Amino acid sequence: MSHISVLLHETVDALLADRNTGIYVDATFGRGGHSRLLLEKLDENSRVYAFDKDPQALAVGAELEQQDPRFKIIHASFADLQQALLQHGIEQVDGIMADLGVSSPQLDQAERGFSFMHNGPLDMRMDNSQGLTAAEWLLQVDETDLANVIFQYGEERYSRRIAKAIKAAGYMETTAELAEVVKVAHPKWEKHKHAATRTFQAIRIEINKELEDIQLFLPQSVSLLKSQARLAVISFHSLEDRLIKQFIQKESTLPEDTSWGMPQKVQDTRRLKKIDRVRASEAEVKANPRSRSAWLRVAERLDH
């Protein structure tokens, strides 16, 4: 399955807010759907800087770079956004977008080891040029720590049973082996959901430090935004969306007066204004079932 960019027009339109010029960042290039639409709508003086860790995504980005001089692909995590852009002389931008999680090619290519739907090596790394594979990590992680990861990142109630079974199984080379171990250990499956779904999600999030990267990315993105520039982030599960929601809430809420006695003038430290929250339409969900769980949150940088 080729990658279909989720909430494509909604994201780009919200990001541009009727502008057609400036410097924009696609923090998760993937296969470039959002970057391409941005380039279509921007004038010849604009620039789009895109980030990705995945070697296959970088190869696609390199081709686009050859086709369009306004575009630049950067091999880095969006957790290093500010530093990487500074190396290119960029201190502020007119908009930043991110489409979180894994892309369809990553899920559908068995050799990437992201999914139990396609048997392949137990890898799960977005950047498969460095770091531990899922198989290596599972072999060395402590059972208690593994159970905690499965519970926190997979929201799996049977995490302890599953962790015990995984550690008892020893080294596993393939996604099918891990899926079978989890299936046998799981006492009660959810309807229409494979027993290993939550466990695979949890291990993938841990291997790629996905939530930690989001927590590093969000404050940097606000610091980079010019006044009235926008941040648009698409998330696919509750853990990601909660982080984004809480961050925007915190950055867009006036601090309370905590003084005793006479009320004091509270310093306005707000950096963001909430703009919108959007879900995929019924038509998009029908055309691309993976968009069902997607949420787009949009916020705008305030003047001060």
Side-chain angles (χ1 to χ4, degrees), residues 238-256:
S238 59
L239 296 173
E240 294 173 337
D241 187 56
R242 196 176 304 139
L243 285 177
I244 298 153
K245 176 185 175 181
Q246 290 172 349
F247 178 80
I248 293 174
Q249 182 71 29
K250 176 174 169 286
E251 292 286 349
S252 60
T253 303
L254 191 67
E256 293 182 11

Side-chain angles (χ1 to χ4, degrees), residues 10-278:
E10 293 88 341
T11 303
V12 171
D13 289 346
L15 190 67
L16 292 175
D18 295 324
R19 293 186 292 265
N20 72 338
T21 192
I23 299 171
Y24 291 86
V25 174
D26 181 349
T28 51
F29 178 72
R31 293 301 181 267
H34 291 100
S35 282
R36 286 187 176 88
L37 186 57
L38 269 172
L39 290 164
E40 278 181 31
K41 291 177 176 272
L42 291 169
D43 67 19
E44 61 183 15
N45 298 314
S46 299
R47 293 282 284 168
V48 174
Y49 291 87
F51 287 70
D52 215 295
K53 298 189 288 187
D54 187 314
Q56 293 180 358
L58 293 167
V60 175
E63 291 179 10
L64 182 55
E65 201 173 81
Q66 293 294 316
Q67 296 163 9
D68 195 324
R70 298 173 299 162
F71 177 78
K72 177 69 181 174
I73 186 74
I74 299 171
H75 183 188
S77 165
F78 60 36
D80 302 317
L81 189 74
Q82 208 162 8
Q83 183 182 357
L85 286 172
L86 273 175
Q87 291 174 356
H88 292 274
I90 305 298
E91 295 182 10
Q92 287 200 302
V93 300
D94 297 280
I96 299 171
M97 67 138 296
D99 180 359
L100 305 176
V102 291
S103 65
S104 297
Q106 287 171 330
L107 287 170
D108 294 331
Q109 292 171 3
E111 65 271 18
R112 300 304 301 272
F114 281 100
S115 174
F116 47 79
M117 301 297 289
H118 309 279
N119 189 28
L122 192 53
D123 193 321
M124 295 197 195
R125 294 171 298 167
M126 290 183 182
D127 183 350
N128 55 11
S129 69
Q130 59 182 335
L132 293 175
T133 65
E136 292 165 342
W137 180 76
L138 286 172
L139 194 63
Q140 70 172 42
V141 69
D142 173 83
E143 184 181 315
T144 302
D145 291 340
L146 176 57
N148 289 339
V149 164
I150 295 170
F151 181 74
Q152 290 168 10
Y153 296 164
E155 299 178 294
E156 171 59 75
R157 61 186 295 194
Y158 299 108
S159 58
R160 298 197 184 285
R161 290 181 65 151
I162 292 167
K164 187 178 181 69
I166 289 172
K167 292 307 293 183
Y171 183 69
M172 290 174 279
E173 289 188 2
T174 68
T175 54
E177 288 176 80
L178 175 59
E180 183 62 25
V181 168
V182 176
K183 189 171 78 170
V184 171
H186 206 298
K188 190 177 180 182
W189 307 346
E190 293 174 66
K191 194 176 181 181
H192 306 309
K193 186 176 278 191
H194 192 286
T197 299
R198 293 176 179 273
T199 298
F200 266 67
Q201 173 184 295
I203 295 169
R204 188 202 82 217
I205 288 172
E206 171 63 26
I207 290 293
N208 294 290
K209 304 298 179 193
E210 292 177 38
L211 298 184
E212 290 98 321
D213 280 2
I214 294 168
Q215 288 173 310
L216 290 168
F217 160 71
L218 291 170
Q220 292 180 59
S221 65
V222 179
S223 297
L224 284 160
L225 292 175
K226 296 176 183 176
S227 175
Q228 297 185 306
R230 288 187 172 185
L231 172 67
V233 186
I234 305 166
S235 61
F236 287 86
H237 59 74
S238 59
L239 296 173
E240 294 173 337
D241 187 56
R242 196 176 304 139
L243 285 177
I244 298 153
K245 176 185 175 181
Q246 290 172 349
F247 178 80
I248 293 174
Q249 182 71 29
K250 176 174 169 286
E251 292 286 349
S252 60
T253 303
L254 191 67
E256 293 182 11
D257 177 13
T258 57
S259 63
W260 291 66
M262 293 294 290
Q264 303 293 315
K265 186 176 181 181
V266 176
Q267 183 181 1
D268 190 348
T269 57
R270 292 175 297 178
R271 298 194 296 170
L272 292 177
K273 175 176 72 173
K274 292 182 196 175
I275 296 296
D276 208 355
R277 184 181 69 150
V278 182

